[in-house]
């Protein structure tokens, strides 16, 4: 059974394969999901994840069924283990966006079908694989890639560190001390000063300072992160030809300025498109299990 709860669930060699297949398909998908249904449970809002999965599943000949978390109320109206086993009888795979990574793990433990993490408080593996695809498209490989991630040590940051290790590109995380990730893979640099690493950057990445579910911390975070903005002065100090990435949604004037977001260096909409190409290759991978 192949679940994708974090990047660590996919052997590095298979991640390379997923990226290769996503590129090779080039948007023309074989009908590998014909006659199959994918349940998509969302306990948090979504634009890209929901839409790219729904359209991508349709293009592979399958049916996507959107399930609002508040309808099923997993773990509340019914135990996680009951919902998971019921859904295993209807669906061929599950995409699950949850407020609780431990609930996602419990759901997967009882599931007879593959479970894909569509974002949890801990990880966002589909985002990181799509980002690796975007980086590969821009640099024709990973050799010259040095990602400088400026921002919160959050779900996206954790999955990016894991994908950097799997794909073999260099990475530094620039984050205020109190918000740095609790665990960092060997080789990834963590610092609280932009100046110490920015000159290496061929990829600059940022995410929101306050993730979904932490809205009560917004005021404190805005203060602490105010000097961690990706702006034109930061971009100028990066390597020539450096690109800007953001998983979106983005807050203009907070973690990134509009000038950087709208600049030719910004590949954020290619990134958004690549969600679908990467996820369809991930669906191929889980269905082979
Ligand atoms: N990047 C991302 O996951 O976007 P959504 O929250 O809109 O799905
Ligand atoms: N870190 C953000 C990512 C949104 C795609 C969040 O969890 O809200």
């Amino acid at each position: 059974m192949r679940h994708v709860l974090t990047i660590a669930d996919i052997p590095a060699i298979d991640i390379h394969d997923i990226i290769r297949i996503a590129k090779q398909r080039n948007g023309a998908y074989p009908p590998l999901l014909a006659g199959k249904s994918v349940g998509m449970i969302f306990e948090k809002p979504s634009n890209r994840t929901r839409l790219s999965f729904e359209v991508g599943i349709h293009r592979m000949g399958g049916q996507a069924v959107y399930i609002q978390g508040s309808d099923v109320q997993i773990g509340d109206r019914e135990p996680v283990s009951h919902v998971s086993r019921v859904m295993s009888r209807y669906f061929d795979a599950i995409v699950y966006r949850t407020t609780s990574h431990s609930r996602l793990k419990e759901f997967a433990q009882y599931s007879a079908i593959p479970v894909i993490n569509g974002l949890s408080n801990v990880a966002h593996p589909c985002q990181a694989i799509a980002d690796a695809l975007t980086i590969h498209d821009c640099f024709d490989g990973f050799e010259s890639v040095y990602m400088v991630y400026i921002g919160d040590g959050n779900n996206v940051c954790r999955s990016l560190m894991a994908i950097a290790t799997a794909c073999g590109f260099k990475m530094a995380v620039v984050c205020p001390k109190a918000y740095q990730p609790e665990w960092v893979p060997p080789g990834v640099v963590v610092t609280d000063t932009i100046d110490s690493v920015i000159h290496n950057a061929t990829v600059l990445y940022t995410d929101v300072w306050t993730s979904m579910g932490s809205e009560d911390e917004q005021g404190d975070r805005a203060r602490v992160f105010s000097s961690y903005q990706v702006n034109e002065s930061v971009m100028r100090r990066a390597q020539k030809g450096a690109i800007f990435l953001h998983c979106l949604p983005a807050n203009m004037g907070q973690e990134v300025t509009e000038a950087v977001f709208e600049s030719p260096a910004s590949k954020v909409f290619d990134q958004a498109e690549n969600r679908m190409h990467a996820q369809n290759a991930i669906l191929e991978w889980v269905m082979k299990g």
Side-chain angles (χ1 to χ4, degrees):
M1 176 63 58
R2 289 177 168 177
H3 298 307
V4 182
L5 307 191
T6 68
I7 293 293
D9 289 328
I10 314 177
I13 188 162
D14 290 3
I15 289 176
H16 285 273
D17 232 40
I18 285 168
I19 292 167
R20 186 183 54 76
I21 285 172
K23 289 172 84 91
Q24 185 186 315
R25 295 273 179 256
N26 200 21
Y29 305 111
L32 296 173
L33 296 179
K36 297 194 189 302
S37 300
V38 180
M40 309 216 322
I41 314 160
F42 280 70
E43 295 172 354
K44 291 180 180 184
S46 171
N47 174 7
R48 282 143 292 275
T49 307
R50 175 183 177 179
L51 301 183
S52 57
F53 264 113
E54 281 201 15
V55 174
I57 289 163
H58 172 74
R59 292 201 186 162
M60 286 173 82
Q63 176 203 27
V65 178
Y66 177 72
I67 304 151
Q68 204 156 5
S70 56
D71 285 346
V72 184
Q73 298 169 37
I74 302 180
D76 198 2
R77 186 168 178 265
E78 273 177 286
V80 179
S81 64
H82 295 194
V83 180
S84 176
R85 283 176 290 175
V86 168
M87 289 195 180
S88 293
R89 302 293 177 105
Y90 304 141
F91 295 116
D92 299 281
I94 292 285
V95 175
Y96 187 6
R97 169 169 285 200
T98 181
T99 53
S100 158
H101 193 78
S102 59
R103 189 158 55 241
L104 172 71
K105 287 207 289 197
E106 191 183 348
F107 189 100
Q109 188 191 324
Y110 286 96
S111 179
I113 55 174
V115 178
I116 299 172
N117 181 358
L119 180 145
S120 72
N121 49 319
V122 168
H124 198 1
C126 295
Q127 179 71 53
I129 294 172
D131 295 340
L133 173 61
T134 305
I135 290 168
H136 199 286
D137 285 346
C138 289
F139 295 94
D140 202 22
F142 296 113
E143 214 159 294
S144 61
V145 176
Y146 193 119
M147 178 188 284
V148 174
Y149 173 96
I150 302 177
D152 187 21
N154 61 15
N155 45 6
V156 170
C157 177
R158 286 190 205 95
S159 293
L160 286 172
M161 292 192 295
I163 204 81
T165 307
C167 293
F169 62 80
K170 295 187 245 355
M171 182 170 175
V173 174
V174 183
C175 180
K177 282 207 168 72
Y179 295 93
Q180 289 177 356
E182 55 297 307
W183 186 80
V184 175
V188 174
V189 173
V190 179
T191 170
D192 61 349
T193 61
I194 295 178
D195 291 350
S196 58
V197 289
I198 190 63
H199 57 281
N200 295 313
T202 56
V203 177
L204 266 143
Y205 199 118
T206 190
D207 183 15
V208 291
W209 294 335
T210 305
S211 286
M212 291 181 277
S214 302
E215 286 78 6
D216 54 329
E217 297 172 21
Q218 206 149 4
D220 288 344
R221 284 170 171 270
R223 270 187 297 281
V224 177
F225 280 96
S226 61
S227 54
Y228 291 82
Q229 182 188 63
V230 179
N231 51 37
E232 282 174 302
S233 144
V234 170
M235 285 302 289
R236 261 196 302 274
R237 285 185 284 151
Q239 291 273 312
K240 194 167 178 284
I243 62 167
F244 170 74
L245 300 181
H246 191 311
C247 57
L248 307 184
N251 296 309
M252 296 296 101
Q254 292 186 39
E255 72 272 9
V256 61
T257 58
E258 190 144 18
V260 169
F261 189 88
E262 298 293 349
S263 72
S266 173
K267 306 296 174 199
V268 296
F269 298 110
D270 295 334
Q271 249 184 299
E273 177 183 334
N274 278 334
R275 291 294 303 276
M276 182 164 73
H277 305 313
Q279 286 157 192
N280 276 12
I282 294 169
L283 282 163
E284 270 196 61
W285 183 78
V286 297
M287 297 314 285
K288 274 187 221 145

